[in-house]
Amino acid sequence: MRISDSNLLAAIAALGVEHKPDVSLAQKTSLEIGGTSDVLLIRKHESLPGLIQFLKGNKVPYRFLGGGSNVLLPDGELRWVVLQLARQDPDVRFEGNNVFVDCAADLGRTVTTCAKHDLGGMEGLIGVPGSIGGALRMNAGAYGTQIGTYVREVKIYRAATGQLETLRGNEINFEYRHTSFAPDDIMLTVRLELPSKSYSEILQGIRICNEKRRASQPLNQKSAGCIFKNPPGGSAGRMIDELGLKGHSVGDARVSDRHANFFINAGHATQSDMLALIADVRQRVREKFGVELEEEVIVWKEK
Ligand code: EPU
């Protein structure tokens, strides 16, 4: 969506928010699918309550985009203005075993920065693309580690109250790829408490996870990681593989040859290519295994 009304633009600037017109959103997502929209870049968390109140008051539809690694956007001009958080500097701060991390920080870089301070626990998350905020919202996990285990406090913009609030870790439910945050809450900063470990021991763990990931996942292709959640006790990837669907495609959306729960943008895939592939695979899995797969990727639907 484009904002061209000069009064609106002046009010947005007065809130300390930067307006970036007509941004290509494909470049902000790991699938490299998505059209264009104006982006409002929020430099100070304190601007958020006023900004959102203002957008609602002026009937400007908006959506928040984090690291873009687990999202499937529509093509063409989006009907929302897109909000993004500018990364704070510094984005990681240490106090003993407590680490205060800006939610716009990169997850992988945070894991290695913590390692350099002899703080471990999150080795399994190395190689998971995306921001700390996105990892928190989905309770990102891999190789036996889930980020929720280490969360002690989260500062959020809480949609229900329109205010910035700080939640204690024990007030948040972290489940498999699901949390109790509301869909329109925005993660701002988190305090993690990490166990002390030597740098060399952490590096060893990081190396092992990197190797496992390289051996089983298509890392240098355009994807949003796993497209479906695993059903209880099962594996979406194994079921799709058993159906012989590796390489199966709709347009340029293709089931990865390496890991069947990764769907790849093999060229110029559109959202509808990807949605058609998701629907097709879901139906085949339902028919063969009687299992209804649930998407893990967040889909921004136009309607
Ligand atoms: N498998 C196949 N064929 C495939 C893919 C997997 O037979 O094409 C088999 C594997 O051989 C293995 C089983 O299925 O026996 C499970 O596969 P894998 O170890 O790759 O784990 P996964 O359950 O498919 C989950 C997470 C990944 C995470 C890995 C490692 C989900 C949906 N996926 O994958 O997370 O990296 O474990 O811990 O929970 C993501 O969330 O986007 C993601 C990639």
Side-chain angles (χ1 to χ4, degrees), residues 125-159:
L125 294 174
I126 199 75
V128 174
S131 65
I132 286 282
L136 272 182
R137 160 165 298 287
M138 292 296 291
N139 191 19
Y143 305 114
T145 305
Q146 299 196 352
I147 193 167
T149 310
Y150 301 107
V151 173
R152 298 293 173 266
E153 230 169 48
V154 186
K155 186 173 118 192
I156 62 170
Y157 166 80
R158 196 163 201 183

Side-chain angles (χ1 to χ4, degrees), residues 126-127 143 206-220 258-259 262:
I126 199 75
Y143 305 114
I206 285 178
R207 265 192 218 109
I208 292 170
C209 292
N210 269 337
E211 271 163 31
K212 284 192 199 162
R213 201 179 284 282
R214 260 197 301 273
S216 63
Q217 300 183 359
L219 299 186
N220 47 11
R258 182 166 278 239
H259 192 301
F262 278 64

Side-chain angles (χ1 to χ4, degrees), residues 19-84:
H19 171 245
K20 297 181 155 197
D22 203 22
V23 174
S24 162
L25 297 168
Q27 287 166 19
K28 291 183 173 285
T29 73
S30 57
L31 266 171
E32 294 189 25
I33 296 176
T36 58
S37 180
D38 285 6
V39 168
L40 298 180
L41 187 67
I42 297 144
R43 297 203 174 278
K44 290 203 173 92
H45 296 161
E46 290 64 33
S47 312
L48 257 173
L51 174 67
I52 291 185
Q53 200 180 13
F54 175 80
L55 295 174
K56 283 184 172 163
N58 287 281
K59 301 209 168 6
V60 178
Y62 63 89
R63 296 208 63 161
F64 178 80
L65 181 66
S69 62
N70 195 38
V71 66
L72 173 56
L73 303 187
D75 302 281
E77 191 182 316
L78 272 57
R79 65 183 176 88
W80 311 272
V81 65
V82 170
L83 311 188
Q84 280 208 298

Side-chain angles (χ1 to χ4, degrees), residues 6-272:
S6 54
N7 291 328
L8 291 187
L9 291 173
I12 287 166
L15 285 163
V17 173
E18 188 181 335
H19 171 245
K20 297 181 155 197
D22 203 22
V23 174
S24 162
L25 297 168
Q27 287 166 19
K28 291 183 173 285
T29 73
S30 57
L31 266 171
E32 294 189 25
I33 296 176
T36 58
S37 180
D38 285 6
V39 168
L40 298 180
L41 187 67
I42 297 144
R43 297 203 174 278
K44 290 203 173 92
H45 296 161
E46 290 64 33
S47 312
L48 257 173
L51 174 67
I52 291 185
Q53 200 180 13
F54 175 80
L55 295 174
K56 283 184 172 163
N58 287 281
K59 301 209 168 6
V60 178
Y62 63 89
R63 296 208 63 161
F64 178 80
L65 181 66
S69 62
N70 195 38
V71 66
L72 173 56
L73 303 187
D75 302 281
E77 191 182 316
L78 272 57
R79 65 183 176 88
W80 311 272
V81 65
V82 170
L83 311 188
Q84 280 208 298
L85 290 176
R87 200 150 46 78
Q88 307 294 299
D89 187 20
D91 56 5
V92 187
R93 195 167 55 77
F94 293 89
E95 270 179 34
N97 287 61
N98 288 293
V99 191
F100 296 81
V101 192
D102 176 45
C103 285
D106 179 77
L107 174 61
R109 264 206 10 254
T110 304
V111 174
T112 48
T113 307
C114 292
K116 286 177 192 155
H117 284 76
D118 296 322
L119 294 175
M122 300 211 293
E123 294 85 330
L125 294 174
I126 199 75
V128 174
S131 65
I132 286 282
L136 272 182
R137 160 165 298 287
M138 292 296 291
N139 191 19
Y143 305 114
T145 305
Q146 299 196 352
I147 193 167
T149 310
Y150 301 107
V151 173
R152 298 293 173 266
E153 230 169 48
V154 186
K155 186 173 118 192
I156 62 170
Y157 166 80
R158 196 163 201 183
T161 60
Q163 300 297 327
L164 304 188
E165 294 183 17
T166 300
L167 305 181
R168 285 195 305 275
N170 59 13
E171 294 175 287
I172 307 161
N173 276 340
F174 288 100
E175 293 159 25
Y176 166 66
R177 299 296 192 277
H178 179 79
T179 59
S180 52
F181 295 114
D184 43 0
D185 287 346
I186 299 174
M187 321 282 110
L188 301 174
T189 25
V190 61
R191 174 166 70 88
L192 304 168
E193 190 183 349
L194 299 178
S196 299
K197 263 193 199 179
S198 72
Y199 184 50
S200 59
E201 194 188 343
I202 302 170
L203 272 193
Q204 177 68 5
I206 285 178
R207 265 192 218 109
I208 292 170
C209 292
N210 269 337
E211 271 163 31
K212 284 192 199 162
R213 201 179 284 282
R214 260 197 301 273
S216 63
Q217 300 183 359
L219 299 186
N220 47 11
Q221 284 178 294
K222 297 180 259 179
S223 85
C226 285
I227 215 91
F228 296 111
K229 294 181 183 177
N230 282 335
S235 162
R238 186 185 293 136
M239 288 189 286
I240 301 166
D241 194 359
E242 277 176 20
L243 282 164
L245 292 176
K246 281 185 169 167
H248 180 57
S249 59
V250 174
D252 274 340
R254 184 157 76 207
V255 178
S256 159
D257 293 322
R258 182 166 278 239
H259 192 301
N261 197 15
F262 278 64
F263 291 12
I264 304 298
N265 173 6
H268 298 97
T270 61
Q271 188 194 51
S272 41

